[in-house]
Amino acid sequence: MRDDVIRDVAAPGRRALLRGVGGFGVAAALPGLGACSAGPQSTNDTGNGGSGKDRTLTAVIGYGNDGSWDPTQTASAFSMAANNHVYEGLLDTDPITRVPYPALGTEVPKDPGATTWRFRLRPGATFHDGKPVTADDVVFVFDRILDPKTQTLAKGFFESWLQGVRKTGGDSVELVLKFPFPDGLSRLTLAKIMPKHVFGRPGAWDDAIKGLAVGSGPYRQTAHHPKSNTTFEAFDGYNGPRRPAFRKMNWLTIVDAAPRVAKISGTDAGAQIADNIPYANIGRLEQGGLKVAGGAGMNNLFLMFDTRHKPFDDIRVRQALHYAIDKEKMVEVALKGHGRAASSFLDQGNPSYRRARTVYDYDPDRAKALLKAAGVTDLSINILAVNVSWIVDCLPTIKASWDAIGVRTTLAPQETTAVFTKMDQRQDYQVVAAASDPNQFGLDADLIMRYNYGPQNLWMRYTRWADHPVARQLFKDMDRATREPDPGRKKAMVQDYIDVVAEQAVLYPVVHNELMTAWDPRLLTGIRAQPYPGINVLQATWV
């Protein structure tokens, strides 16, 4: 990821997801939205101030804020977390339980198994520019997501089961499903409703990528400085279920671990909450009076191979390199015990988890035997890696493990945007090591797997594997599982095709880890640490 999560849109979208934004000049043509600037700005004069209940909440996010802000495209941890405060779906989900609740829609459909879901919009709902939210705005967003000519990340979460969305009145819409799909209710939070009069303008989607955010949620964006900070203010016109408790918020992007921790610790702490806390700092922060909590989930370090680059077209080579990694050492040394070796694509807490038939327990002798069987000798590997702090901590274990079986290994950690720009440009690579957490989008296994695997999936374009016979059969098996109405049978079908993914090891996790959040309980209450990147303060307030 970046210190970000990176994934799954189709083609032109990848650059939109993660590229750095250079001359960022989204004109502030909307009331209250400050002009966005081109480069890092001082974070001391763009949102701090106030006192008592009106003081500014300052948060430190350990991921870049210069990825895409387009809700239909982004997988950026920073912008996804921010968008959850700026935008609303017809339904949104609780950040921990992921249970859907009414947002712009007035109620959750009573029959999740129906093939038609009807929604009436919340009376009086308005966008941040004062214009009312209408059924036309809802249709506008879903039409973009389902448009076969427009490649978006969100499409992969909807097109397999959603036939279309139609207006049934000025404030009502109807969603027509291809078949019963109860899991779709929680996915509606991924279709953030955006104003057609803003984003229907020529070039506006490019503005959204660069940081323009205009929603109907409890907070409105007031300024955006790529690589520095983004500021927000409570939206006085919001009349939804989760009222804003903070008059202003200033979210700082600090990817490097040491300054991120420094910003929240000590007597001169400049922030009240920070995510992506390094494990080595937990004890010191707790001794300083901070609360540190987190949770295990899908967050993982994965390896991705270019299967057109020999010898990585050989399944035995990919498997050998996974068997060679001392994962328990990685968990102990790099993750300080806050992780587990992957025993499936899914983490062990996922409801659809089953230990895969192929598990890459540490076995250097088997690794060497597989390389020998593949006829591979004198192998040198350059690992192209993202510079996420905990990923960088894990890389030495991979290098030591591969060196130990005779594979000469070099490490090349870089900014996430740089890594994936190279792949967008189809530059040559061997192996990528990066971070991913599909739980940003949801918990159901169908969503998680489609995020990573699929015939039009960007990840599969990076791996150059989508045309392989095994891949083509995998995609068919995934489609059959999606349409299966019986929950038990569907779970078994999902687990079976995950076994194929495990065996092939084209894009596969090495370890799943915990993500930690720290905050000052003397100042904040109602904080719930989430087991995926970012923060959610929609139910938090000052003490």
Side-chain angles (χ1 to χ4, degrees), residues 107-153:
E107 64 179 0
V108 178
K110 294 180 174 58
D111 183 5
T115 53
T116 300
W117 294 334
R118 296 178 178 87
F119 290 92
R120 187 168 296 278
L121 300 181
R122 187 175 71 237
T126 61
F127 290 112
H128 298 155
D129 62 358
K131 301 285 181 62
V133 181
T134 70
D136 289 327
D137 299 306
V138 178
V139 173
F140 167 71
V141 169
F142 278 100
D143 280 354
R144 171 175 168 81
I145 290 172
L146 297 176
D147 181 1
K149 297 179 181 179
T150 303
Q151 298 298 341
T152 63
L153 172 61

mmCIF file of all heavy atoms in Angstrom, residues 107-153:
data_model
loop_
_atom_site.group_PDB
_atom_site.id
_atom_site.type_symbol
_atom_site.label_atom_id
_atom_site.label_comp_id
_atom_site.label_asym_id
_atom_site.label_seq_id
_atom_site.Cartn_x
_atom_site.Cartn_y
_atom_site.Cartn_z
ATOM 1 N N GLU A 107 -34.181 3.719 5.696
ATOM 2 C CA GLU A 107 -34.235 2.446 6.413
ATOM 3 C C GLU A 107 -33.502 1.361 5.644
ATOM 4 O O GLU A 107 -33.313 1.459 4.425
ATOM 5 C CB GLU A 107 -35.679 2.014 6.683
ATOM 6 C CG GLU A 107 -36.500 1.731 5.442
ATOM 7 C CD GLU A 107 -37.913 1.276 5.779
ATOM 8 O OE1 GLU A 107 -38.233 1.192 6.967
ATOM 9 O OE2 GLU A 107 -38.678 0.983 4.844
ATOM 10 N N VAL A 108 -33.097 0.335 6.369
ATOM 11 C CA VAL A 108 -32.487 -0.843 5.765
ATOM 12 C C VAL A 108 -33.605 -1.715 5.205
ATOM 13 O O VAL A 108 -34.601 -1.943 5.890
ATOM 14 C CB VAL A 108 -31.666 -1.632 6.813
ATOM 15 C CG1 VAL A 108 -31.074 -2.896 6.191
ATOM 16 C CG2 VAL A 108 -30.570 -0.757 7.409
ATOM 17 N N PRO A 109 -33.489 -2.189 3.963
ATOM 18 C CA PRO A 109 -34.538 -3.064 3.409
ATOM 19 C C PRO A 109 -34.853 -4.219 4.349
ATOM 20 O O PRO A 109 -33.947 -4.852 4.904
ATOM 21 C CB PRO A 109 -33.921 -3.547 2.098
ATOM 22 C CG PRO A 109 -33.022 -2.436 1.681
ATOM 23 C CD PRO A 109 -32.440 -1.910 2.967
ATOM 24 N N LYS A 110 -36.146 -4.491 4.510
ATOM 25 C CA LYS A 110 -36.573 -5.520 5.466
ATOM 26 C C LYS A 110 -36.265 -6.926 4.988
ATOM 27 O O LYS A 110 -36.136 -7.847 5.788
ATOM 28 C CB LYS A 110 -38.066 -5.357 5.754
ATOM 29 C CG LYS A 110 -38.419 -4.073 6.483
ATOM 30 C CD LYS A 110 -39.923 -3.981 6.743
ATOM 31 C CE LYS A 110 -40.266 -2.759 7.605
ATOM 32 N NZ LYS A 110 -39.825 -1.486 7.013
ATOM 33 N N ASP A 111 -36.142 -7.107 3.680
ATOM 34 C CA ASP A 111 -35.867 -8.431 3.132
ATOM 35 C C ASP A 111 -34.544 -8.411 2.371
ATOM 36 O O ASP A 111 -34.504 -8.088 1.177
ATOM 37 C CB ASP A 111 -36.997 -8.863 2.192
ATOM 38 C CG ASP A 111 -36.783 -10.276 1.640
ATOM 39 O OD1 ASP A 111 -35.810 -10.941 2.060
ATOM 40 O OD2 ASP A 111 -37.579 -10.701 0.785
ATOM 41 N N PRO A 112 -33.439 -8.744 3.041
ATOM 42 C CA PRO A 112 -32.132 -8.725 2.368
ATOM 43 C C PRO A 112 -32.068 -9.681 1.181
ATOM 44 O O PRO A 112 -31.239 -9.502 0.293
ATOM 45 C CB PRO A 112 -31.160 -9.147 3.472
ATOM 46 C CG PRO A 112 -31.872 -8.864 4.754
ATOM 47 C CD PRO A 112 -33.315 -9.111 4.467
ATOM 48 N N GLY A 113 -32.924 -10.707 1.169
ATOM 49 C CA GLY A 113 -32.899 -11.693 0.102
ATOM 50 C C GLY A 113 -33.754 -11.332 -1.095
ATOM 51 O O GLY A 113 -33.859 -12.122 -2.046
ATOM 52 N N ALA A 114 -34.361 -10.145 -1.091
ATOM 53 C CA ALA A 114 -35.171 -9.718 -2.226
ATOM 54 C C ALA A 114 -34.274 -9.331 -3.399
ATOM 55 O O ALA A 114 -33.089 -9.033 -3.228
ATOM 56 C CB ALA A 114 -36.051 -8.546 -1.817
ATOM 57 N N THR A 115 -34.857 -9.314 -4.583
ATOM 58 C CA THR A 115 -34.093 -8.902 -5.763
ATOM 59 C C THR A 115 -34.414 -7.461 -6.157
ATOM 60 O O THR A 115 -33.925 -6.978 -7.187
ATOM 61 C CB THR A 115 -34.373 -9.835 -6.952
ATOM 62 O OG1 THR A 115 -35.781 -9.917 -7.169
ATOM 63 C CG2 THR A 115 -33.812 -11.222 -6.676
ATOM 64 N N THR A 116 -35.218 -6.770 -5.340
ATOM 65 C CA THR A 116 -35.452 -5.334 -5.509
ATOM 66 C C THR A 116 -35.383 -4.677 -4.136
ATOM 67 O O THR A 116 -36.069 -5.113 -3.203
ATOM 68 C CB THR A 116 -36.825 -5.050 -6.146
ATOM 69 O OG1 THR A 116 -36.892 -5.675 -7.434
ATOM 70 C CG2 THR A 116 -37.030 -3.555 -6.326
ATOM 71 N N TRP A 117 -34.536 -3.673 -4.022
ATOM 72 C CA TRP A 117 -34.440 -2.899 -2.781
ATOM 73 C C TRP A 117 -34.884 -1.471 -3.082
ATOM 74 O O TRP A 117 -34.365 -0.827 -3.996
ATOM 75 C CB TRP A 117 -33.007 -2.887 -2.243
ATOM 76 C CG TRP A 117 -32.501 -4.224 -1.803
ATOM 77 C CD1 TRP A 117 -33.227 -5.282 -1.372
ATOM 78 C CD2 TRP A 117 -31.125 -4.626 -1.727
ATOM 79 N NE1 TRP A 117 -32.408 -6.339 -1.037
ATOM 80 C CE2 TRP A 117 -31.108 -5.958 -1.244
ATOM 81 C CE3 TRP A 117 -29.918 -4.010 -2.020
ATOM 82 C CZ2 TRP A 117 -29.930 -6.673 -1.052
ATOM 83 C CZ3 TRP A 117 -28.736 -4.708 -1.836
ATOM 84 C CH2 TRP A 117 -28.740 -6.028 -1.346
ATOM 85 N N ARG A 118 -35.819 -0.982 -2.299
ATOM 86 C CA ARG A 118 -36.336 0.378 -2.505
ATOM 87 C C ARG A 118 -35.872 1.289 -1.370
ATOM 88 O O ARG A 118 -35.917 0.895 -0.198
ATOM 89 C CB ARG A 118 -37.859 0.354 -2.600
ATOM 90 C CG ARG A 118 -38.367 -0.424 -3.800
ATOM 91 C CD ARG A 118 -39.893 -0.481 -3.862
ATOM 92 N NE ARG A 118 -40.335 -1.203 -5.065
ATOM 93 C CZ ARG A 118 -40.483 -2.525 -5.118
ATOM 94 N NH1 ARG A 118 -40.240 -3.262 -4.047
ATOM 95 N NH2 ARG A 118 -40.884 -3.104 -6.242
ATOM 96 N N PHE A 119 -35.471 2.490 -1.748
ATOM 97 C CA PHE A 119 -34.974 3.450 -0.764
ATOM 98 C C PHE A 119 -35.643 4.806 -0.973
ATOM 99 O O PHE A 119 -35.803 5.264 -2.106
ATOM 100 C CB PHE A 119 -33.457 3.642 -0.908
ATOM 101 C CG PHE A 119 -32.642 2.459 -0.496
ATOM 102 C CD1 PHE A 119 -32.273 1.494 -1.434
ATOM 103 C CD2 PHE A 119 -32.245 2.283 0.822
ATOM 104 C CE1 PHE A 119 -31.523 0.395 -1.073
ATOM 105 C CE2 PHE A 119 -31.497 1.186 1.200
ATOM 106 C CZ PHE A 119 -31.133 0.234 0.251
ATOM 107 N N ARG A 120 -36.016 5.412 0.146
ATOM 108 C CA ARG A 120 -36.433 6.810 0.136
ATOM 109 C C ARG A 120 -35.324 7.620 0.807
ATOM 110 O O ARG A 120 -34.774 7.206 1.832
ATOM 111 C CB ARG A 120 -37.752 6.991 0.891
ATOM 112 C CG ARG A 120 -38.324 8.421 0.774
ATOM 113 C CD ARG A 120 -39.761 8.475 1.287
ATOM 114 N NE ARG A 120 -40.647 7.656 0.477
ATOM 115 C CZ ARG A 120 -41.184 8.030 -0.676
ATOM 116 N NH1 ARG A 120 -40.890 9.222 -1.176
ATOM 117 N NH2 ARG A 120 -41.995 7.226 -1.329
ATOM 118 N N LEU A 121 -34.984 8.772 0.231
ATOM 119 C CA LEU A 121 -33.895 9.580 0.753
ATOM 120 C C LEU A 121 -34.324 10.339 1.998
ATOM 121 O O LEU A 121 -35.498 10.693 2.170
ATOM 122 C CB LEU A 121 -33.408 10.560 -0.312
ATOM 123 C CG LEU A 121 -32.874 9.936 -1.597
ATOM 124 C CD1 LEU A 121 -32.396 11.016 -2.558
ATOM 125 C CD2 LEU A 121 -31.732 8.959 -1.308
ATOM 126 N N ARG A 122 -33.359 10.613 2.858
ATOM 127 C CA ARG A 122 -33.616 11.323 4.106
ATOM 128 C C ARG A 122 -34.155 12.725 3.812
ATOM 129 O O ARG A 122 -33.509 13.506 3.091
ATOM 130 C CB ARG A 122 -32.309 11.415 4.904
ATOM 131 C CG ARG A 122 -32.476 11.993 6.296
ATOM 132 C CD ARG A 122 -31.169 11.935 7.052
ATOM 133 N NE ARG A 122 -30.170 12.872 6.554
ATOM 134 C CZ ARG A 122 -28.959 12.537 6.133
ATOM 135 N NH1 ARG A 122 -28.573 11.272 6.135
ATOM 136 N NH2 ARG A 122 -28.104 13.446 5.699
ATOM 137 N N PRO A 123 -35.306 13.061 4.333
ATOM 138 C CA PRO A 123 -35.865 14.402 4.084
ATOM 139 C C PRO A 123 -34.912 15.494 4.568
ATOM 140 O O PRO A 123 -34.341 15.408 5.657
ATOM 141 C CB PRO A 123 -37.167 14.402 4.898
ATOM 142 C CG PRO A 123 -37.532 12.958 5.037
ATOM 143 C CD PRO A 123 -36.229 12.222 5.141
ATOM 144 N N GLY A 124 -34.712 16.500 3.741
ATOM 145 C CA GLY A 124 -33.880 17.637 4.124
ATOM 146 C C GLY A 124 -32.394 17.433 3.955
ATOM 147 O O GLY A 124 -31.612 18.338 4.274
ATOM 148 N N ALA A 125 -31.963 16.272 3.435
ATOM 149 C CA ALA A 125 -30.525 16.028 3.244
ATOM 150 C C ALA A 125 -29.983 16.960 2.164
ATOM 151 O O ALA A 125 -30.564 17.088 1.088
ATOM 152 C CB ALA A 125 -30.283 14.575 2.859
ATOM 153 N N THR A 126 -28.872 17.618 2.461
ATOM 154 C CA THR A 126 -28.257 18.538 1.502
ATOM 155 C C THR A 126 -26.768 18.253 1.385
ATOM 156 O O THR A 126 -26.139 17.709 2.304
ATOM 157 C CB THR A 126 -28.447 20.009 1.920
ATOM 158 O OG1 THR A 126 -27.808 20.217 3.196
ATOM 159 C CG2 THR A 126 -29.917 20.372 2.021
ATOM 160 N N PHE A 127 -26.220 18.640 0.244
ATOM 161 C CA PHE A 127 -24.781 18.562 0.060
ATOM 162 C C PHE A 127 -24.111 19.770 0.723
ATOM 163 O O PHE A 127 -24.785 20.720 1.140
ATOM 164 C CB PHE A 127 -24.437 18.519 -1.432
ATOM 165 C CG PHE A 127 -24.824 17.235 -2.099
ATOM 166 C CD1 PHE A 127 -25.838 17.196 -3.046
ATOM 167 C CD2 PHE A 127 -24.168 16.051 -1.786
ATOM 168 C CE1 PHE A 127 -26.194 16.015 -3.673
ATOM 169 C CE2 PHE A 127 -24.521 14.855 -2.400
ATOM 170 C CZ PHE A 127 -25.533 14.837 -3.352
ATOM 171 N N HIS A 128 -22.806 19.730 0.805
ATOM 172 C CA HIS A 128 -22.067 20.777 1.511
ATOM 173 C C HIS A 128 -22.145 22.141 0.836
ATOM 174 O O HIS A 128 -21.809 23.147 1.458
ATOM 175 C CB HIS A 128 -20.605 20.353 1.693
ATOM 176 C CG HIS A 128 -20.453 19.117 2.528
ATOM 177 N ND1 HIS A 128 -19.379 18.270 2.435
ATOM 178 C CD2 HIS A 128 -21.265 18.577 3.475
ATOM 179 C CE1 HIS A 128 -19.518 17.267 3.283
ATOM 180 N NE2 HIS A 128 -20.654 17.424 3.925
ATOM 181 N N ASP A 129 -22.580 22.178 -0.413
ATOM 182 C CA ASP A 129 -22.767 23.460 -1.086
ATOM 183 C C ASP A 129 -24.200 23.964 -0.953
ATOM 184 O O ASP A 129 -24.575 24.963 -1.571
ATOM 185 C CB ASP A 129 -22.373 23.372 -2.553
ATOM 186 C CG ASP A 129 -23.217 22.370 -3.340
ATOM 187 O OD1 ASP A 129 -24.097 21.715 -2.738
ATOM 188 O OD2 ASP A 129 -22.996 22.234 -4.556
ATOM 189 N N GLY A 130 -25.017 23.275 -0.141
ATOM 190 C CA GLY A 130 -26.376 23.720 0.119
ATOM 191 C C GLY A 130 -27.433 23.163 -0.803
ATOM 192 O O GLY A 130 -28.636 23.344 -0.553
ATOM 193 N N LYS A 131 -27.038 22.460 -1.869
ATOM 194 C CA LYS A 131 -27.999 21.896 -2.802
ATOM 195 C C LYS A 131 -28.587 20.601 -2.230
ATOM 196 O O LYS A 131 -27.885 19.830 -1.562
ATOM 197 C CB LYS A 131 -27.337 21.605 -4.149
ATOM 198 C CG LYS A 131 -26.729 22.838 -4.821
ATOM 199 C CD LYS A 131 -27.791 23.725 -5.424
ATOM 200 C CE LYS A 131 -27.167 24.939 -6.118
ATOM 201 N NZ LYS A 131 -26.292 24.571 -7.244
ATOM 202 N N PRO A 132 -29.865 20.322 -2.495
ATOM 203 C CA PRO A 132 -30.494 19.118 -1.942
ATOM 204 C C PRO A 132 -29.970 17.844 -2.600
ATOM 205 O O PRO A 132 -29.597 17.839 -3.782
ATOM 206 C CB PRO A 132 -31.979 19.324 -2.254
ATOM 207 C CG PRO A 132 -31.993 20.234 -3.439
ATOM 208 C CD PRO A 132 -30.822 21.150 -3.257
ATOM 209 N N VAL A 133 -29.951 16.763 -1.836
ATOM 210 C CA VAL A 133 -29.629 15.442 -2.362
ATOM 211 C C VAL A 133 -30.883 14.890 -3.034
ATOM 212 O O VAL A 133 -31.958 14.892 -2.439
ATOM 213 C CB VAL A 133 -29.165 14.494 -1.252
ATOM 214 C CG1 VAL A 133 -28.817 13.123 -1.836
ATOM 215 C CG2 VAL A 133 -27.963 15.068 -0.501
ATOM 216 N N THR A 134 -30.752 14.428 -4.262
ATOM 217 C CA THR A 134 -31.906 13.936 -5.002
ATOM 218 C C THR A 134 -31.654 12.528 -5.529
ATOM 219 O O THR A 134 -30.520 12.027 -5.527
ATOM 220 C CB THR A 134 -32.226 14.847 -6.204
ATOM 221 O OG1 THR A 134 -31.180 14.698 -7.195
ATOM 222 C CG2 THR A 134 -32.328 16.307 -5.780
ATOM 223 N N ALA A 135 -32.729 11.918 -6.021
ATOM 224 C CA ALA A 135 -32.614 10.596 -6.628
ATOM 225 C C ALA A 135 -31.692 10.634 -7.837
ATOM 226 O O ALA A 135 -31.002 9.649 -8.137
ATOM 227 C CB ALA A 135 -33.998 10.082 -7.019
ATOM 228 N N ASP A 136 -31.641 11.770 -8.529
ATOM 229 C CA ASP A 136 -30.755 11.886 -9.687
ATOM 230 C C ASP A 136 -29.287 11.725 -9.285
ATOM 231 O O ASP A 136 -28.485 11.176 -10.040
ATOM 232 C CB ASP A 136 -30.946 13.245 -10.372
ATOM 233 C CG ASP A 136 -32.283 13.348 -11.098
ATOM 234 O OD1 ASP A 136 -32.765 12.317 -11.606
ATOM 235 O OD2 ASP A 136 -32.835 14.457 -11.144
ATOM 236 N N ASP A 137 -28.934 12.203 -8.106
ATOM 237 C CA ASP A 137 -27.553 12.057 -7.626
ATOM 238 C C ASP A 137 -27.224 10.596 -7.363
ATOM 239 O O ASP A 137 -26.121 10.131 -7.664
ATOM 240 C CB ASP A 137 -27.350 12.876 -6.354
ATOM 241 C CG ASP A 137 -27.579 14.363 -6.561
ATOM 242 O OD1 ASP A 137 -26.938 14.933 -7.459
ATOM 243 O OD2 ASP A 137 -28.415 14.941 -5.832
ATOM 244 N N VAL A 138 -28.191 9.867 -6.811
ATOM 245 C CA VAL A 138 -27.985 8.439 -6.536
ATOM 246 C C VAL A 138 -27.778 7.678 -7.842
ATOM 247 O O VAL A 138 -26.836 6.886 -7.986
ATOM 248 C CB VAL A 138 -29.176 7.863 -5.749
ATOM 249 C CG1 VAL A 138 -28.981 6.364 -5.515
ATOM 250 C CG2 VAL A 138 -29.351 8.591 -4.423
ATOM 251 N N VAL A 139 -28.664 7.919 -8.800
ATOM 252 C CA VAL A 139 -28.554 7.234 -10.090
ATOM 253 C C VAL A 139 -27.242 7.603 -10.783
ATOM 254 O O VAL A 139 -26.580 6.753 -11.386
ATOM 255 C CB VAL A 139 -29.767 7.578 -10.975
ATOM 256 C CG1 VAL A 139 -29.586 7.007 -12.385
ATOM 257 C CG2 VAL A 139 -31.053 7.046 -10.350
ATOM 258 N N PHE A 140 -26.848 8.852 -10.686
ATOM 259 C CA PHE A 140 -25.600 9.336 -11.280
ATOM 260 C C PHE A 140 -24.406 8.519 -10.801
ATOM 261 O O PHE A 140 -23.560 8.086 -11.597
ATOM 262 C CB PHE A 140 -25.426 10.814 -10.939
ATOM 263 C CG PHE A 140 -24.066 11.389 -11.202
ATOM 264 C CD1 PHE A 140 -23.625 11.602 -12.503
ATOM 265 C CD2 PHE A 140 -23.224 11.735 -10.151
ATOM 266 C CE1 PHE A 140 -22.367 12.143 -12.754
ATOM 267 C CE2 PHE A 140 -21.968 12.277 -10.387
ATOM 268 C CZ PHE A 140 -21.537 12.479 -11.690
ATOM 269 N N VAL A 141 -24.325 8.279 -9.503
ATOM 270 C CA VAL A 141 -23.188 7.543 -8.941
ATOM 271 C C VAL A 141 -23.225 6.082 -9.360
ATOM 272 O O VAL A 141 -22.208 5.513 -9.797
ATOM 273 C CB VAL A 141 -23.168 7.677 -7.406
ATOM 274 C CG1 VAL A 141 -22.162 6.705 -6.795
ATOM 275 C CG2 VAL A 141 -22.822 9.103 -7.006
ATOM 276 N N PHE A 142 -24.385 5.446 -9.237
ATOM 277 C CA PHE A 142 -24.451 4.027 -9.591
ATOM 278 C C PHE A 142 -24.258 3.815 -11.095
ATOM 279 O O PHE A 142 -23.674 2.805 -11.509
ATOM 280 C CB PHE A 142 -25.769 3.421 -9.117
ATOM 281 C CG PHE A 142 -25.747 3.029 -7.664
ATOM 282 C CD1 PHE A 142 -26.326 3.844 -6.700
ATOM 283 C CD2 PHE A 142 -25.138 1.851 -7.258
ATOM 284 C CE1 PHE A 142 -26.304 3.488 -5.358
ATOM 285 C CE2 PHE A 142 -25.111 1.479 -5.922
ATOM 286 C CZ PHE A 142 -25.697 2.297 -4.962
ATOM 287 N N ASP A 143 -24.723 4.746 -11.913
ATOM 288 C CA ASP A 143 -24.483 4.628 -13.353
ATOM 289 C C ASP A 143 -22.992 4.661 -13.656
ATOM 290 O O ASP A 143 -22.506 3.935 -14.532
ATOM 291 C CB ASP A 143 -25.190 5.761 -14.108
ATOM 292 C CG ASP A 143 -26.678 5.491 -14.313
ATOM 293 O OD1 ASP A 143 -27.137 4.374 -13.977
ATOM 294 O OD2 ASP A 143 -27.376 6.399 -14.797
ATOM 295 N N ARG A 144 -22.265 5.505 -12.953
ATOM 296 C CA ARG A 144 -20.809 5.543 -13.155
ATOM 297 C C ARG A 144 -20.178 4.223 -12.744
ATOM 298 O O ARG A 144 -19.323 3.669 -13.446
ATOM 299 C CB ARG A 144 -20.187 6.691 -12.360
ATOM 300 C CG ARG A 144 -18.643 6.662 -12.348
ATOM 301 C CD ARG A 144 -18.080 7.883 -11.652
ATOM 302 N NE ARG A 144 -16.658 7.770 -11.372
ATOM 303 C CZ ARG A 144 -15.681 7.993 -12.259
ATOM 304 N NH1 ARG A 144 -15.986 8.311 -13.504
ATOM 305 N NH2 ARG A 144 -14.408 7.890 -11.910
ATOM 306 N N ILE A 145 -20.583 3.703 -11.602
ATOM 307 C CA ILE A 145 -19.997 2.461 -11.098
ATOM 308 C C ILE A 145 -20.266 1.298 -12.046
ATOM 309 O O ILE A 145 -19.386 0.459 -12.289
ATOM 310 C CB ILE A 145 -20.544 2.155 -9.690
ATOM 311 C CG1 ILE A 145 -19.991 3.167 -8.674
ATOM 312 C CG2 ILE A 145 -20.189 0.731 -9.263
ATOM 313 C CD1 ILE A 145 -20.616 3.062 -7.294
ATOM 314 N N LEU A 146 -21.471 1.238 -12.613
ATOM 315 C CA LEU A 146 -21.858 0.102 -13.446
ATOM 316 C C LEU A 146 -21.564 0.313 -14.930
ATOM 317 O O LEU A 146 -21.748 -0.608 -15.729
ATOM 318 C CB LEU A 146 -23.350 -0.190 -13.259
ATOM 319 C CG LEU A 146 -23.769 -0.620 -11.851
ATOM 320 C CD1 LEU A 146 -25.280 -0.774 -11.777
ATOM 321 C CD2 LEU A 146 -23.085 -1.924 -11.447
ATOM 322 N N ASP A 147 -21.104 1.495 -15.306
ATOM 323 C CA ASP A 147 -20.828 1.795 -16.706
ATOM 324 C C ASP A 147 -19.727 0.874 -17.239
ATOM 325 O O ASP A 147 -18.596 0.902 -16.740
ATOM 326 C CB ASP A 147 -20.397 3.258 -16.847
ATOM 327 C CG ASP A 147 -20.119 3.662 -18.289
ATOM 328 O OD1 ASP A 147 -20.280 2.811 -19.198
ATOM 329 O OD2 ASP A 147 -19.738 4.826 -18.509
ATOM 330 N N PRO A 148 -20.032 0.050 -18.259
ATOM 331 C CA PRO A 148 -19.002 -0.869 -18.767
ATOM 332 C C PRO A 148 -17.821 -0.165 -19.407
ATOM 333 O O PRO A 148 -16.747 -0.754 -19.560
ATOM 334 C CB PRO A 148 -19.769 -1.708 -19.801
ATOM 335 C CG PRO A 148 -20.951 -0.888 -20.182
ATOM 336 C CD PRO A 148 -21.317 -0.096 -18.955
ATOM 337 N N LYS A 149 -17.978 1.105 -19.764
ATOM 338 C CA LYS A 149 -16.893 1.850 -20.394
ATOM 339 C C LYS A 149 -16.038 2.604 -19.387
ATOM 340 O O LYS A 149 -15.040 3.217 -19.762
ATOM 341 C CB LYS A 149 -17.470 2.834 -21.415
ATOM 342 C CG LYS A 149 -18.208 2.175 -22.569
ATOM 343 C CD LYS A 149 -18.761 3.212 -23.526
ATOM 344 C CE LYS A 149 -19.520 2.551 -24.673
ATOM 345 N NZ LYS A 149 -20.089 3.571 -25.603
ATOM 346 N N THR A 150 -16.436 2.599 -18.133
ATOM 347 C CA THR A 150 -15.698 3.322 -17.097
ATOM 348 C C THR A 150 -15.133 2.324 -16.095
ATOM 349 O O THR A 150 -15.881 1.558 -15.488
ATOM 350 C CB THR A 150 -16.613 4.324 -16.359
ATOM 351 O OG1 THR A 150 -17.183 5.218 -17.301
ATOM 352 C CG2 THR A 150 -15.818 5.108 -15.316
ATOM 353 N N GLN A 151 -13.828 2.331 -15.955
ATOM 354 C CA GLN A 151 -13.179 1.382 -15.053
ATOM 355 C C GLN A 151 -12.975 2.018 -13.683
ATOM 356 O O GLN A 151 -12.255 3.001 -13.553
ATOM 357 C CB GLN A 151 -11.836 0.939 -15.638
ATOM 358 C CG GLN A 151 -11.945 0.215 -16.976
ATOM 359 C CD GLN A 151 -12.725 -1.080 -16.889
ATOM 360 O OE1 GLN A 151 -12.898 -1.640 -15.815
ATOM 361 N NE2 GLN A 151 -13.206 -1.557 -18.025
ATOM 362 N N THR A 152 -13.662 1.483 -12.699
ATOM 363 C CA THR A 152 -13.518 1.979 -11.335
ATOM 364 C C THR A 152 -13.278 0.813 -10.391
ATOM 365 O O THR A 152 -13.647 -0.329 -10.689
ATOM 366 C CB THR A 152 -14.780 2.737 -10.881
ATOM 367 O OG1 THR A 152 -15.887 1.829 -10.864
ATOM 368 C CG2 THR A 152 -15.078 3.919 -11.791
ATOM 369 N N LEU A 153 -12.721 1.103 -9.255
ATOM 370 C CA LEU A 153 -12.543 0.094 -8.219
ATOM 371 C C LEU A 153 -13.895 -0.404 -7.734
ATOM 372 O O LEU A 153 -14.101 -1.603 -7.543
ATOM 373 C CB LEU A 153 -11.754 0.698 -7.054
ATOM 374 C CG LEU A 153 -11.613 -0.148 -5.784
ATOM 375 C CD1 LEU A 153 -10.897 -1.441 -6.099
ATOM 376 C CD2 LEU A 153 -10.865 0.625 -4.722
#
